[in-house]
Amino acid sequence: MRAVTYQPQIPVGRVTPGLREAALIEFIGSDPAHGQAIVQAMLEAGFVVREVAQPSGQADALILAHGLTGTTLDAHCGALEAISAQAKRFEERGGTLILLQDTGGRFQPTDHRAWRGGLTGLARTAAREFPKATVRAIDMDIADLGLQGATDRLVEELLSGGTAPCVGLSAQGRLVPADGLAALPGNRPGLIGSQDVILVTGGARGVTADCIIELARRTQARFALLGRSAITPWPDDLAPVTDEKALRSALAARAKANGEKVSPAALNKAARALLSGAEIRSTLGAIEQSGGKALYVPTDVADPAALVDALSRIEAGLGPVTGLVHGAGVLADKLIREKTRDQVEKVFAPKISGLEAILALINPNQLKTIAFFSSVAARYGNAGQADYAMANEILNRMAHWLKAANPDAAITSLGWGPWDGGMVDESLKAKFAEMGVSLIPRMAGANLFADAVLAGDACPVELVIGSEIAHG
């Protein structure tokens, strides 16, 4: 387990590789004011650069400024699409790729700068997928520095920052992320108790459920679980099974006996709905048996109207929410050159749109504890997971923003490596074994989660757990 912090660092004094000798650098951004200022400053510094609307595929270097303006989705999709357009060039010949973003300042839920931090995750993934290229992410606090000051600092960084993969520039100096071994302090007595109501997204199934069951055992708190699945009742005429293949066979046999024709797709859907319902009921029962209370509300957290209704039910049934565990997430793995906007939207919906909706309805400063389920993909990149890395890096940045706004709060973002369960199926398990990546045992992970949450404000803001994937 490692804690991620942001440390001052003096630049190495070397120009970013590939820029000085580039026959052409293409600059792409959505704000003319930023583009004109940066391109002019780079021309004056001797770089051969031009501003374009789309990459030509022929440039030696790309500088992408989507992260300086725009909404969450547009900023990330725009940068991803620009990289995809030059992916073949990066794959075959290398080159230089620089992503710019602005996430400086103090947190306000309506300030979209807070939600643009995922481009660092994109840069880290691009470095994995394009090993011949030099890839950098540079974060500029424009509100702090002013446009001219930020532009001057950017050009200075291009001339002296070398290959540093991720850098933050502000009036306070030049910061780089670093991680070091971390040990969790002892549990803070009385932080969470039976009177507390913890809102949990994605917590009724999988590894998040294991974590919540362990937290219930230690605290006897009340848990409001949100998930997209309905609790499908188990048919009286079917024996309980947990294997999907066996359940499909039983459903097919029952349909045949009743003279019904059911398509394979319908059988798959029915089996998954039944197993999902059974797992949710099992989670609720385990929380109750551990001494806690549990309420499950089928809700799409990315739907603000549905979330309002869910919170109303939760407050009526359990009481006001005092803590948040945001564990919702989905995968849509594809390489950057194959990634579509629809896939990015699918991944961002539960993690980012869902969190935006929650923070618009619940004041985070009134919560005793906030814990995000992030991923090592955000910290180190992972081929095929650009969207997942971006979404989880936004969670990491959000944790730091929230902590800066409320230093005494218990806030942490847990960057999990692969678990032995959850979204890791047998094929992924075999892939990780080939890479020499060990999986996190479910009970060990659940205990680490509870230790982190109950450490309170002494827990590091950003943790990486099972980071062996970084060396895969």
Side-chain angles (χ1 to χ4, degrees), residues 263-300:
S263 69
L267 285 174
N268 289 338
K269 183 178 180 180
R272 288 170 184 163
L274 288 171
L275 291 175
S276 172
E279 189 175 0
I280 293 169
R281 285 191 296 273
S282 175
T283 298
L284 298 176
I287 291 172
E288 298 281 350
Q289 290 170 13
S290 298
K293 293 184 181 296
L295 172 65
Y296 180 75
V297 184
T299 307
D300 180 354

PDB file of all heavy atoms in Angstrom, residues 263-300:
ATOM      1  N   SER A 263     -35.236 -17.676 -26.137  1.00  0.00           N
ATOM      2  CA  SER A 263     -33.976 -17.476 -26.856  1.00  0.00           C
ATOM      3  C   SER A 263     -32.800 -17.531 -25.887  1.00  0.00           C
ATOM      4  O   SER A 263     -32.950 -17.266 -24.683  1.00  0.00           O
ATOM      5  CB  SER A 263     -33.980 -16.132 -27.564  1.00  0.00           C
ATOM      6  OG  SER A 263     -33.940 -15.068 -26.619  1.00  0.00           O
ATOM      7  N   PRO A 264     -31.600 -17.863 -26.398  1.00  0.00           N
ATOM      8  CA  PRO A 264     -30.408 -17.850 -25.535  1.00  0.00           C
ATOM      9  C   PRO A 264     -30.185 -16.492 -24.873  1.00  0.00           C
ATOM     10  O   PRO A 264     -29.784 -16.422 -23.701  1.00  0.00           O
ATOM     11  CB  PRO A 264     -29.275 -18.189 -26.507  1.00  0.00           C
ATOM     12  CG  PRO A 264     -29.935 -18.990 -27.585  1.00  0.00           C
ATOM     13  CD  PRO A 264     -31.297 -18.390 -27.737  1.00  0.00           C
ATOM     14  N   ALA A 265     -30.441 -15.404 -25.618  1.00  0.00           N
ATOM     15  CA  ALA A 265     -30.261 -14.069 -25.035  1.00  0.00           C
ATOM     16  C   ALA A 265     -31.209 -13.844 -23.867  1.00  0.00           C
ATOM     17  O   ALA A 265     -30.828 -13.274 -22.833  1.00  0.00           O
ATOM     18  CB  ALA A 265     -30.483 -13.003 -26.106  1.00  0.00           C
ATOM     19  N   ALA A 266     -32.454 -14.303 -24.010  1.00  0.00           N
ATOM     20  CA  ALA A 266     -33.425 -14.148 -22.928  1.00  0.00           C
ATOM     21  C   ALA A 266     -33.040 -14.985 -21.723  1.00  0.00           C
ATOM     22  O   ALA A 266     -33.222 -14.564 -20.570  1.00  0.00           O
ATOM     23  CB  ALA A 266     -34.818 -14.526 -23.417  1.00  0.00           C
ATOM     24  N   LEU A 267     -32.514 -16.188 -21.967  1.00  0.00           N
ATOM     25  CA  LEU A 267     -32.056 -17.037 -20.864  1.00  0.00           C
ATOM     26  C   LEU A 267     -30.910 -16.369 -20.113  1.00  0.00           C
ATOM     27  O   LEU A 267     -30.879 -16.378 -18.873  1.00  0.00           O
ATOM     28  CB  LEU A 267     -31.607 -18.399 -21.397  1.00  0.00           C
ATOM     29  CG  LEU A 267     -32.708 -19.377 -21.806  1.00  0.00           C
ATOM     30  CD1 LEU A 267     -32.094 -20.616 -22.438  1.00  0.00           C
ATOM     31  CD2 LEU A 267     -33.552 -19.776 -20.593  1.00  0.00           C
ATOM     32  N   ASN A 268     -29.958 -15.801 -20.865  1.00  0.00           N
ATOM     33  CA  ASN A 268     -28.835 -15.116 -20.224  1.00  0.00           C
ATOM     34  C   ASN A 268     -29.322 -13.952 -19.364  1.00  0.00           C
ATOM     35  O   ASN A 268     -28.878 -13.774 -18.221  1.00  0.00           O
ATOM     36  CB  ASN A 268     -27.864 -14.593 -21.285  1.00  0.00           C
ATOM     37  CG  ASN A 268     -27.092 -15.694 -21.974  1.00  0.00           C
ATOM     38  OD1 ASN A 268     -26.951 -16.791 -21.435  1.00  0.00           O
ATOM     39  ND2 ASN A 268     -26.576 -15.403 -23.157  1.00  0.00           N
ATOM     40  N   LYS A 269     -30.232 -13.169 -19.910  1.00  0.00           N
ATOM     41  CA  LYS A 269     -30.756 -12.007 -19.175  1.00  0.00           C
ATOM     42  C   LYS A 269     -31.479 -12.444 -17.911  1.00  0.00           C
ATOM     43  O   LYS A 269     -31.283 -11.856 -16.831  1.00  0.00           O
ATOM     44  CB  LYS A 269     -31.685 -11.215 -20.083  1.00  0.00           C
ATOM     45  CG  LYS A 269     -32.240  -9.950 -19.444  1.00  0.00           C
ATOM     46  CD  LYS A 269     -33.121  -9.176 -20.423  1.00  0.00           C
ATOM     47  CE  LYS A 269     -33.679  -7.920 -19.767  1.00  0.00           C
ATOM     48  NZ  LYS A 269     -34.536  -7.148 -20.707  1.00  0.00           N
ATOM     49  N   ALA A 270     -32.307 -13.482 -18.021  1.00  0.00           N
ATOM     50  CA  ALA A 270     -33.062 -13.959 -16.860  1.00  0.00           C
ATOM     51  C   ALA A 270     -32.136 -14.513 -15.788  1.00  0.00           C
ATOM     52  O   ALA A 270     -32.309 -14.254 -14.586  1.00  0.00           O
ATOM     53  CB  ALA A 270     -34.068 -15.019 -17.295  1.00  0.00           C
ATOM     54  N   ALA A 271     -31.118 -15.282 -16.214  1.00  0.00           N
ATOM     55  CA  ALA A 271     -30.184 -15.872 -15.247  1.00  0.00           C
ATOM     56  C   ALA A 271     -29.410 -14.790 -14.509  1.00  0.00           C
ATOM     57  O   ALA A 271     -29.248 -14.850 -13.277  1.00  0.00           O
ATOM     58  CB  ALA A 271     -29.229 -16.820 -15.969  1.00  0.00           C
ATOM     59  N   ARG A 272     -28.957 -13.779 -15.242  1.00  0.00           N
ATOM     60  CA  ARG A 272     -28.186 -12.715 -14.596  1.00  0.00           C
ATOM     61  C   ARG A 272     -29.048 -11.908 -13.638  1.00  0.00           C
ATOM     62  O   ARG A 272     -28.587 -11.494 -12.574  1.00  0.00           O
ATOM     63  CB  ARG A 272     -27.564 -11.815 -15.663  1.00  0.00           C
ATOM     64  CG  ARG A 272     -26.426 -12.496 -16.410  1.00  0.00           C
ATOM     65  CD  ARG A 272     -25.975 -11.719 -17.618  1.00  0.00           C
ATOM     66  NE  ARG A 272     -24.953 -12.453 -18.358  1.00  0.00           N
ATOM     67  CZ  ARG A 272     -24.599 -12.205 -19.599  1.00  0.00           C
ATOM     68  NH1 ARG A 272     -25.205 -11.218 -20.259  1.00  0.00           N
ATOM     69  NH2 ARG A 272     -23.661 -12.920 -20.194  1.00  0.00           N
ATOM     70  N   ALA A 273     -30.302 -11.666 -14.013  1.00  0.00           N
ATOM     71  CA  ALA A 273     -31.196 -10.923 -13.122  1.00  0.00           C
ATOM     72  C   ALA A 273     -31.449 -11.692 -11.831  1.00  0.00           C
ATOM     73  O   ALA A 273     -31.456 -11.117 -10.732  1.00  0.00           O
ATOM     74  CB  ALA A 273     -32.513 -10.637 -13.835  1.00  0.00           C
ATOM     75  N   LEU A 274     -31.643 -13.002 -11.951  1.00  0.00           N
ATOM     76  CA  LEU A 274     -31.875 -13.828 -10.764  1.00  0.00           C
ATOM     77  C   LEU A 274     -30.648 -13.860  -9.857  1.00  0.00           C
ATOM     78  O   LEU A 274     -30.759 -13.726  -8.629  1.00  0.00           O
ATOM     79  CB  LEU A 274     -32.264 -15.244 -11.177  1.00  0.00           C
ATOM     80  CG  LEU A 274     -33.670 -15.412 -11.771  1.00  0.00           C
ATOM     81  CD1 LEU A 274     -33.847 -16.810 -12.330  1.00  0.00           C
ATOM     82  CD2 LEU A 274     -34.728 -15.122 -10.710  1.00  0.00           C
ATOM     83  N   LEU A 275     -29.474 -14.047 -10.458  1.00  0.00           N
ATOM     84  CA  LEU A 275     -28.250 -14.104  -9.654  1.00  0.00           C
ATOM     85  C   LEU A 275     -27.958 -12.753  -9.019  1.00  0.00           C
ATOM     86  O   LEU A 275     -27.488 -12.690  -7.874  1.00  0.00           O
ATOM     87  CB  LEU A 275     -27.077 -14.550 -10.523  1.00  0.00           C
ATOM     88  CG  LEU A 275     -27.120 -16.002 -10.993  1.00  0.00           C
ATOM     89  CD1 LEU A 275     -25.966 -16.291 -11.944  1.00  0.00           C
ATOM     90  CD2 LEU A 275     -27.066 -16.958  -9.797  1.00  0.00           C
ATOM     91  N   SER A 276     -28.229 -11.671  -9.748  1.00  0.00           N
ATOM     92  CA  SER A 276     -28.042 -10.341  -9.187  1.00  0.00           C
ATOM     93  C   SER A 276     -28.953 -10.128  -7.980  1.00  0.00           C
ATOM     94  O   SER A 276     -28.509  -9.654  -6.924  1.00  0.00           O
ATOM     95  CB  SER A 276     -28.336  -9.278 -10.253  1.00  0.00           C
ATOM     96  OG  SER A 276     -28.344  -7.990  -9.694  1.00  0.00           O
ATOM     97  N   GLY A 277     -30.225 -10.481  -8.121  1.00  0.00           N
ATOM     98  CA  GLY A 277     -31.157 -10.345  -7.003  1.00  0.00           C
ATOM     99  C   GLY A 277     -30.734 -11.163  -5.807  1.00  0.00           C
ATOM    100  O   GLY A 277     -30.820 -10.705  -4.658  1.00  0.00           O
ATOM    101  N   ALA A 278     -30.257 -12.391  -6.064  1.00  0.00           N
ATOM    102  CA  ALA A 278     -29.819 -13.254  -4.961  1.00  0.00           C
ATOM    103  C   ALA A 278     -28.615 -12.655  -4.248  1.00  0.00           C
ATOM    104  O   ALA A 278     -28.517 -12.705  -3.008  1.00  0.00           O
ATOM    105  CB  ALA A 278     -29.490 -14.641  -5.508  1.00  0.00           C
ATOM    106  N   GLU A 279     -27.696 -12.071  -5.031  1.00  0.00           N
ATOM    107  CA  GLU A 279     -26.500 -11.484  -4.411  1.00  0.00           C
ATOM    108  C   GLU A 279     -26.856 -10.254  -3.587  1.00  0.00           C
ATOM    109  O   GLU A 279     -26.304 -10.043  -2.498  1.00  0.00           O
ATOM    110  CB  GLU A 279     -25.483 -11.122  -5.495  1.00  0.00           C
ATOM    111  CG  GLU A 279     -24.137 -10.699  -4.932  1.00  0.00           C
ATOM    112  CD  GLU A 279     -23.078 -10.457  -5.995  1.00  0.00           C
ATOM    113  OE1 GLU A 279     -23.381 -10.607  -7.200  1.00  0.00           O
ATOM    114  OE2 GLU A 279     -21.939 -10.095  -5.614  1.00  0.00           O
ATOM    115  N   ILE A 280     -27.787  -9.447  -4.088  1.00  0.00           N
ATOM    116  CA  ILE A 280     -28.198  -8.269  -3.326  1.00  0.00           C
ATOM    117  C   ILE A 280     -28.855  -8.690  -2.009  1.00  0.00           C
ATOM    118  O   ILE A 280     -28.548  -8.131  -0.941  1.00  0.00           O
ATOM    119  CB  ILE A 280     -29.172  -7.406  -4.161  1.00  0.00           C
ATOM    120  CG1 ILE A 280     -28.449  -6.807  -5.363  1.00  0.00           C
ATOM    121  CG2 ILE A 280     -29.778  -6.292  -3.299  1.00  0.00           C
ATOM    122  CD1 ILE A 280     -29.369  -6.164  -6.376  1.00  0.00           C
ATOM    123  N   ARG A 281     -29.746  -9.686  -2.062  1.00  0.00           N
ATOM    124  CA  ARG A 281     -30.380 -10.157  -0.826  1.00  0.00           C
ATOM    125  C   ARG A 281     -29.340 -10.713   0.137  1.00  0.00           C
ATOM    126  O   ARG A 281     -29.427 -10.501   1.361  1.00  0.00           O
ATOM    127  CB  ARG A 281     -31.423 -11.230  -1.151  1.00  0.00           C
ATOM    128  CG  ARG A 281     -32.713 -10.680  -1.760  1.00  0.00           C
ATOM    129  CD  ARG A 281     -33.807 -11.749  -1.805  1.00  0.00           C
ATOM    130  NE  ARG A 281     -33.430 -12.858  -2.684  1.00  0.00           N
ATOM    131  CZ  ARG A 281     -33.642 -12.890  -3.994  1.00  0.00           C
ATOM    132  NH1 ARG A 281     -34.228 -11.852  -4.586  1.00  0.00           N
ATOM    133  NH2 ARG A 281     -33.290 -13.932  -4.716  1.00  0.00           N
ATOM    134  N   SER A 282     -28.336 -11.405  -0.395  1.00  0.00           N
ATOM    135  CA  SER A 282     -27.276 -11.950   0.456  1.00  0.00           C
ATOM    136  C   SER A 282     -26.497 -10.832   1.145  1.00  0.00           C
ATOM    137  O   SER A 282     -26.181 -10.915   2.337  1.00  0.00           O
ATOM    138  CB  SER A 282     -26.330 -12.812  -0.381  1.00  0.00           C
ATOM    139  OG  SER A 282     -25.242 -13.262   0.384  1.00  0.00           O
ATOM    140  N   THR A 283     -26.200  -9.764   0.396  1.00  0.00           N
ATOM    141  CA  THR A 283     -25.479  -8.627   0.977  1.00  0.00           C
ATOM    142  C   THR A 283     -26.293  -7.965   2.087  1.00  0.00           C
ATOM    143  O   THR A 283     -25.771  -7.670   3.169  1.00  0.00           O
ATOM    144  CB  THR A 283     -25.149  -7.587  -0.116  1.00  0.00           C
ATOM    145  OG1 THR A 283     -24.288  -8.179  -1.090  1.00  0.00           O
ATOM    146  CG2 THR A 283     -24.471  -6.364   0.482  1.00  0.00           C
ATOM    147  N   LEU A 284     -27.568  -7.724   1.819  1.00  0.00           N
ATOM    148  CA  LEU A 284     -28.418  -7.105   2.839  1.00  0.00           C
ATOM    149  C   LEU A 284     -28.491  -7.964   4.087  1.00  0.00           C
ATOM    150  O   LEU A 284     -28.420  -7.460   5.224  1.00  0.00           O
ATOM    151  CB  LEU A 284     -29.816  -6.874   2.266  1.00  0.00           C
ATOM    152  CG  LEU A 284     -29.917  -5.931   1.058  1.00  0.00           C
ATOM    153  CD1 LEU A 284     -31.349  -5.871   0.546  1.00  0.00           C
ATOM    154  CD2 LEU A 284     -29.423  -4.543   1.425  1.00  0.00           C
ATOM    155  N   GLY A 285     -28.627  -9.273   3.884  1.00  0.00           N
ATOM    156  CA  GLY A 285     -28.670 -10.186   5.031  1.00  0.00           C
ATOM    157  C   GLY A 285     -27.372 -10.186   5.817  1.00  0.00           C
ATOM    158  O   GLY A 285     -27.374 -10.197   7.054  1.00  0.00           O
ATOM    159  N   ALA A 286     -26.229 -10.139   5.097  1.00  0.00           N
ATOM    160  CA  ALA A 286     -24.931 -10.148   5.781  1.00  0.00           C
ATOM    161  C   ALA A 286     -24.718  -8.871   6.589  1.00  0.00           C
ATOM    162  O   ALA A 286     -24.139  -8.910   7.689  1.00  0.00           O
ATOM    163  CB  ALA A 286     -23.812 -10.315   4.754  1.00  0.00           C
ATOM    164  N   ILE A 287     -25.180  -7.741   6.066  1.00  0.00           N
ATOM    165  CA  ILE A 287     -25.071  -6.486   6.821  1.00  0.00           C
ATOM    166  C   ILE A 287     -25.895  -6.562   8.099  1.00  0.00           C
ATOM    167  O   ILE A 287     -25.434  -6.178   9.186  1.00  0.00           O
ATOM    168  CB  ILE A 287     -25.518  -5.295   5.946  1.00  0.00           C
ATOM    169  CG1 ILE A 287     -24.510  -5.053   4.822  1.00  0.00           C
ATOM    170  CG2 ILE A 287     -25.681  -4.025   6.791  1.00  0.00           C
ATOM    171  CD1 ILE A 287     -24.964  -4.019   3.804  1.00  0.00           C
ATOM    172  N   GLU A 288     -27.108  -7.061   7.988  1.00  0.00           N
ATOM    173  CA  GLU A 288     -27.967  -7.199   9.171  1.00  0.00           C
ATOM    174  C   GLU A 288     -27.364  -8.165  10.179  1.00  0.00           C
ATOM    175  O   GLU A 288     -27.364  -7.900  11.386  1.00  0.00           O
ATOM    176  CB  GLU A 288     -29.360  -7.670   8.743  1.00  0.00           C
ATOM    177  CG  GLU A 288     -30.114  -6.716   7.820  1.00  0.00           C
ATOM    178  CD  GLU A 288     -30.754  -5.555   8.565  1.00  0.00           C
ATOM    179  OE1 GLU A 288     -30.778  -5.582   9.813  1.00  0.00           O
ATOM    180  OE2 GLU A 288     -31.234  -4.615   7.893  1.00  0.00           O
ATOM    181  N   GLN A 289     -26.815  -9.282   9.688  1.00  0.00           N
ATOM    182  CA  GLN A 289     -26.209 -10.267  10.589  1.00  0.00           C
ATOM    183  C   GLN A 289     -24.961  -9.713  11.266  1.00  0.00           C
ATOM    184  O   GLN A 289     -24.583 -10.163  12.347  1.00  0.00           O
ATOM    185  CB  GLN A 289     -25.864 -11.530   9.810  1.00  0.00           C
ATOM    186  CG  GLN A 289     -27.089 -12.321   9.355  1.00  0.00           C
ATOM    187  CD  GLN A 289     -26.738 -13.423   8.380  1.00  0.00           C
ATOM    188  OE1 GLN A 289     -25.567 -13.773   8.220  1.00  0.00           O
ATOM    189  NE2 GLN A 289     -27.749 -13.970   7.710  1.00  0.00           N
ATOM    190  N   SER A 290     -24.321  -8.722  10.621  1.00  0.00           N
ATOM    191  CA  SER A 290     -23.129  -8.107  11.208  1.00  0.00           C
ATOM    192  C   SER A 290     -23.473  -7.039  12.242  1.00  0.00           C
ATOM    193  O   SER A 290     -22.558  -6.434  12.825  1.00  0.00           O
ATOM    194  CB  SER A 290     -22.268  -7.485  10.097  1.00  0.00           C
ATOM    195  OG  SER A 290     -21.824  -8.465   9.186  1.00  0.00           O
ATOM    196  N   GLY A 291     -24.742  -6.782  12.437  1.00  0.00           N
ATOM    197  CA  GLY A 291     -25.164  -5.800  13.428  1.00  0.00           C
ATOM    198  C   GLY A 291     -25.566  -4.463  12.853  1.00  0.00           C
ATOM    199  O   GLY A 291     -25.948  -3.557  13.596  1.00  0.00           O
ATOM    200  N   GLY A 292     -25.490  -4.310  11.531  1.00  0.00           N
ATOM    201  CA  GLY A 292     -25.892  -3.055  10.909  1.00  0.00           C
ATOM    202  C   GLY A 292     -27.325  -3.102  10.426  1.00  0.00           C
ATOM    203  O   GLY A 292     -28.033  -4.092  10.602  1.00  0.00           O
ATOM    204  N   LYS A 293     -27.748  -2.028   9.802  1.00  0.00           N
ATOM    205  CA  LYS A 293     -29.051  -1.977   9.145  1.00  0.00           C
ATOM    206  C   LYS A 293     -28.814  -1.682   7.670  1.00  0.00           C
ATOM    207  O   LYS A 293     -27.853  -0.994   7.315  1.00  0.00           O
ATOM    208  CB  LYS A 293     -29.941  -0.896   9.763  1.00  0.00           C
ATOM    209  CG  LYS A 293     -30.361  -1.181  11.197  1.00  0.00           C
ATOM    210  CD  LYS A 293     -31.313  -0.109  11.697  1.00  0.00           C
ATOM    211  CE  LYS A 293     -31.728  -0.364  13.141  1.00  0.00           C
ATOM    212  NZ  LYS A 293     -32.493  -1.617  13.276  1.00  0.00           N
ATOM    213  N   ALA A 294     -29.684  -2.200   6.798  1.00  0.00           N
ATOM    214  CA  ALA A 294     -29.464  -2.039   5.370  1.00  0.00           C
ATOM    215  C   ALA A 294     -30.757  -1.742   4.641  1.00  0.00           C
ATOM    216  O   ALA A 294     -31.809  -2.302   4.956  1.00  0.00           O
ATOM    217  CB  ALA A 294     -28.820  -3.298   4.794  1.00  0.00           C
ATOM    218  N   LEU A 295     -30.660  -0.830   3.680  1.00  0.00           N
ATOM    219  CA  LEU A 295     -31.776  -0.516   2.797  1.00  0.00           C
ATOM    220  C   LEU A 295     -31.228  -0.461   1.379  1.00  0.00           C
ATOM    221  O   LEU A 295     -30.235   0.229   1.114  1.00  0.00           O
ATOM    222  CB  LEU A 295     -32.386   0.839   3.174  1.00  0.00           C
ATOM    223  CG  LEU A 295     -33.453   1.404   2.222  1.00  0.00           C
ATOM    224  CD1 LEU A 295     -34.698   0.520   2.220  1.00  0.00           C
ATOM    225  CD2 LEU A 295     -33.794   2.845   2.588  1.00  0.00           C
ATOM    226  N   TYR A 296     -31.856  -1.203   0.477  1.00  0.00           N
ATOM    227  CA  TYR A 296     -31.436  -1.174  -0.931  1.00  0.00           C
ATOM    228  C   TYR A 296     -32.470  -0.401  -1.742  1.00  0.00           C
ATOM    229  O   TYR A 296     -33.676  -0.664  -1.655  1.00  0.00           O
ATOM    230  CB  TYR A 296     -31.301  -2.589  -1.496  1.00  0.00           C
ATOM    231  CG  TYR A 296     -30.879  -2.600  -2.958  1.00  0.00           C
ATOM    232  CD1 TYR A 296     -29.565  -2.323  -3.314  1.00  0.00           C
ATOM    233  CD2 TYR A 296     -31.799  -2.868  -3.971  1.00  0.00           C
ATOM    234  CE1 TYR A 296     -29.166  -2.318  -4.642  1.00  0.00           C
ATOM    235  CE2 TYR A 296     -31.412  -2.862  -5.306  1.00  0.00           C
ATOM    236  CZ  TYR A 296     -30.097  -2.577  -5.642  1.00  0.00           C
ATOM    237  OH  TYR A 296     -29.710  -2.577  -6.956  1.00  0.00           O
ATOM    238  N   VAL A 297     -31.981   0.576  -2.531  1.00  0.00           N
ATOM    239  CA  VAL A 297     -32.860   1.381  -3.369  1.00  0.00           C
ATOM    240  C   VAL A 297     -32.370   1.283  -4.808  1.00  0.00           C
ATOM    241  O   VAL A 297     -31.293   1.805  -5.125  1.00  0.00           O
ATOM    242  CB  VAL A 297     -32.871   2.859  -2.928  1.00  0.00           C
ATOM    243  CG1 VAL A 297     -33.874   3.650  -3.766  1.00  0.00           C
ATOM    244  CG2 VAL A 297     -33.200   2.984  -1.450  1.00  0.00           C
ATOM    245  N   PRO A 298     -33.102   0.607  -5.696  1.00  0.00           N
ATOM    246  CA  PRO A 298     -32.684   0.541  -7.100  1.00  0.00           C
ATOM    247  C   PRO A 298     -32.676   1.939  -7.715  1.00  0.00           C
ATOM    248  O   PRO A 298     -33.724   2.586  -7.798  1.00  0.00           O
ATOM    249  CB  PRO A 298     -33.747  -0.353  -7.754  1.00  0.00           C
ATOM    250  CG  PRO A 298     -34.406  -1.073  -6.621  1.00  0.00           C
ATOM    251  CD  PRO A 298     -34.347  -0.148  -5.455  1.00  0.00           C
ATOM    252  N   THR A 299     -31.517   2.413  -8.098  1.00  0.00           N
ATOM    253  CA  THR A 299     -31.367   3.791  -8.569  1.00  0.00           C
ATOM    254  C   THR A 299     -30.188   3.896  -9.521  1.00  0.00           C
ATOM    255  O   THR A 299     -29.122   3.346  -9.261  1.00  0.00           O
ATOM    256  CB  THR A 299     -31.102   4.756  -7.385  1.00  0.00           C
ATOM    257  OG1 THR A 299     -32.106   4.577  -6.389  1.00  0.00           O
ATOM    258  CG2 THR A 299     -31.088   6.201  -7.850  1.00  0.00           C
ATOM    259  N   ASP A 300     -30.371   4.634 -10.598  1.00  0.00           N
ATOM    260  CA  ASP A 300     -29.268   5.034 -11.455  1.00  0.00           C
ATOM    261  C   ASP A 300     -28.710   6.329 -10.879  1.00  0.00           C
ATOM    262  O   ASP A 300     -29.355   7.378 -10.961  1.00  0.00           O
ATOM    263  CB  ASP A 300     -29.757   5.243 -12.885  1.00  0.00           C
ATOM    264  CG  ASP A 300     -28.646   5.659 -13.847  1.00  0.00           C
ATOM    265  OD1 ASP A 300     -27.512   5.891 -13.391  1.00  0.00           O
ATOM    266  OD2 ASP A 300     -28.922   5.748 -15.060  1.00  0.00           O
TER     267      ASP A 300
END
